[in-house]
Amino acid sequence: MTPMDHKTTEYTHYFSQSICMHHGAPCPALARMLKALAGAVDKARPVTTAEFELCGESLLDGCARHCPARFIATHDRIRVFCDVTETTETQALDRFADSMFQPGSPAFSAAKLERRPCAMGEALPKSGRHQARA
């Protein structure tokens, strides 16, 4: 992505990120992945439906630990979970992220996860772009 693309995503999305348990600070590789996904989803908006979803797994580019990252990107929300196993349930990860990122969400214990993410991040569209989730 060019620097202009990074600036554009800051105008289209709000970004939240946890501290990486391995580094003790926000992960720059996770931040880059969130911004890249936000740019891709925003560019896809005119040619996709409200049900559009992009999900998958990748290694974080630039992460010294080469952490795998699972991502789920829709027009309503983008989330990235770092260093989780393939068998960790996405619904459980989402409930854990909701308890961290969404005010008023019910608490969810990380002990209920097969493996807690070492870091996670979320991007939400800014007003005018957000569609209510069903």
Side-chain angles (χ1 to χ4, degrees):
M1 290 181 77
T2 65
M4 181 60 167
D5 290 334
H6 284 291
K7 187 174 183 182
T8 300
T9 61
E10 291 170 6
Y11 290 121
T12 62
H13 288 79
Y14 295 105
F15 296 91
S16 300
Q17 187 175 340
S18 72
I19 301 295
C20 174
M21 293 190 308
H22 300 296
H23 300 292
C27 175
L30 171 58
R32 284 191 301 275
M33 184 174 200
L34 275 172
K35 287 183 179 184
L37 286 167
V41 167
D42 195 58
K43 287 179 183 173
R45 186 179 303 278
V47 294
T48 57
T49 65
E51 293 80 30
F52 172 77
E53 181 178 274
L54 177 67
C55 56
E57 295 182 9
S58 178
L59 291 178
L60 286 177
D61 184 33
C63 173
R65 294 181 47 84
H66 304 289
C67 285
R70 183 186 307 175
F71 60 90
I72 303 100
T74 68
H75 291 301
D76 293 328
R77 179 180 70 201
I78 300 164
R79 282 194 172 154
V80 177
F81 302 96
C82 301
D83 202 20
V84 294
T85 64
E86 292 177 8
T87 57
T88 304
E89 292 182 21
T90 302
Q91 287 181 335
L93 288 169
D94 273 333
R95 288 196 314 268
F96 181 57
D98 286 346
S99 72
M100 299 292 287
F101 293 130
Q102 303 300 317
S105 291
F108 183 82
S109 171
K112 294 181 181 179
L113 293 172
E114 178 182 327
R115 183 171 177 168
R116 178 178 22 187
C118 68
M120 60 186 170
E122 175 178 84
L124 297 174
K126 291 191 174 181
S127 79
R129 297 178 171 276
H130 182 70
Q131 301 169 351
R133 285 180 288 187

